[in-house]
Amino acid sequence: MDALTAENVSSGYGRSPIVRNVSISVAAGMVTAIVGPNGAGKSTFAKTLAGILRPTTGKITVNNTDITRVAGYLIPRSGLAYVPQNDNVFRTLTVRENLEIGGYASKKDARVRMNEVLDIFPDLSKAQEKKAGNLSGGQQNMLAMARALMAEPTVILLDEPTAGLSPAYTDVVWRQVESIAKSGTAVLVIEQNVERALTHAQFVNVLVAGANHVHGTVAEIAKLDLASIFLGRDHAPDSSSPSTNR
Ligand SMILES: Nc1ncnc2c1ncn2[C@@H]1O[C@H](COP(=O)(O)OP(=O)(O)OP(=O)(O)O)[C@@H](O)[C@H]1O
Ligand SMILES: [Mg+2]
């Protein structure tokens, strides 16, 4: 069973849709990536999954429960945690306080859960009393992920968790993303760097001009000429796998 599904989801900010009929499925224990050029609609799609934007068409489920019409503030309780790319921590609060806020929807004792989460993020464990605003950019991204995990989500949605980080720190964050998946959580990650997506994910969806152009396993996607696809120069592959959605 897929932890998260979207079927034919369209959405946008005004009248003209940005995201058009995008479908995706995200499995428990796996890393599924969304790649695509700047402006393709990746973040818009993420905001739609997270209930911040209302879809104009389609259906979204978490754990087989329809969340399409669930208000954004109630989405965490349905099992989907969303980590936006920017402004993803409470800067004036400490690391510990940020995690406590994240734990409000947790079924477990917040302290028990905090220890489990901090096991994945040793850097944060050492910085519990620091103000989040004084952490480095990479550490803030880690804190945002950790805060999302406090609620024990079924699926975690990460919008470019390594944007702007050094290669070394990018490695660290990706290792943490992998360990989140290993713990059984379904991970959906938006990634600018195709190479990284192919290295760390199991499934890849390519979003171009608001539509999911192609999706498949890493092995399937690695065979394609993604540069041409990003530039809109290719013709969609035939109906053999990897599957296209045109
Ligand atoms: N708040 C907004 N209001 C109106 N239009 C927006 C808004 N946010 C984004 N857009 C437009 O929607 C389109 C898709 O943007 P989006 O941020 O979803 O792309 P993206 O794939 O995440 O790009 P990037 O890789 O640069 O993060 C762009 O044309 C953008 O200008
Ligand atoms: Mg984006």
Side-chain angles (χ1 to χ4, degrees):
M1 186 190 79
D2 287 311
L4 169 72
T5 67
E7 281 166 43
N8 294 317
V9 166
S10 304
S11 69
Y13 303 94
R15 263 177 211 192
S16 53
I18 302 282
V19 169
R20 288 174 292 117
N21 297 318
V22 171
S23 299
I24 197 170
S25 55
V26 183
M30 300 284 168
V31 178
T32 300
I34 297 177
V35 300
N38 294 120
K42 304 181 296 296
S43 294
T44 303
F45 182 56
K47 284 183 234 169
T48 310
L49 295 177
I52 293 164
L53 291 176
R54 246 320 130 85
T56 51
T57 69
K59 182 179 172 187
I60 301 162
T61 71
V62 171
N63 271 339
N64 264 351
T65 302
D66 190 336
I67 64 154
T68 316
R69 306 273 158 227
V70 173
Y73 75 99
L74 290 171
I75 292 280
R77 284 185 204 183
S78 60
L80 189 148
Y82 165 58
V83 181
Q85 185 182 328
N86 299 310
D87 301 326
N88 50 22
V89 297
F90 296 103
R91 301 174 60 86
T92 58
L93 301 183
T94 66
V95 166
R96 181 210 299 279
E97 288 163 345
N98 268 275
L99 295 176
E100 282 167 357
I101 289 172
Y104 81 95
S106 171
K107 289 140 235 139
K108 261 188 205 143
D109 183 304
R111 251 167 311 172
V112 173
R113 183 60 187 157
M114 200 180 297
N115 288 333
E116 290 172 358
V117 168
L118 287 174
D119 278 348
I120 308 175
F121 303 93
D123 265 24
L124 295 180
S125 193
K126 284 179 245 150
Q128 285 182 55
E129 304 309 327
K130 257 197 188 176
K131 290 267 194 289
N134 293 337
L135 300 175
S136 73
Q139 288 170 332
Q140 288 185 24
N141 283 357
M142 282 183 187
L143 178 58
M145 283 199 271
R147 183 158 61 87
L149 287 176
M150 282 295 293
E152 297 182 82
T154 302
V155 38
I156 186 166
L157 167 54
L158 307 168
D159 193 349
E160 300 206 32
T162 65
L165 304 189
S166 70
Y169 222 78
T170 296
D171 282 338
V172 172
V173 170
W174 268 113
R175 246 175 274 134
Q176 286 160 347
V177 169
E178 286 171 342
S179 70
I180 292 167
K182 278 210 189 80
S183 76
T185 309
V187 180
L188 178 60
V189 55
I190 295 170
E191 173 57 59
Q192 195 63 243
N193 184 312
V194 170
E195 201 99 328
R196 286 284 182 179
L198 293 173
T199 305
H200 300 286
Q202 285 79 53
F203 300 97
V204 177
N205 294 262
V206 183
L207 207 70
V208 180
N212 54 346
H213 187 92
V214 61
H215 64 95
T217 64
V218 162
E220 288 164 345
I221 298 298
K223 287 186 207 145
L224 305 175
D225 179 2
L226 284 180
S228 297
I229 291 174
F230 274 34
L231 293 170
R233 277 204 206 120
D234 81 312
H235 299 286
D238 60 27
S239 56
S240 62
S241 67
S243 39
T244 60
N245 207 16
R246 272 200 157 171

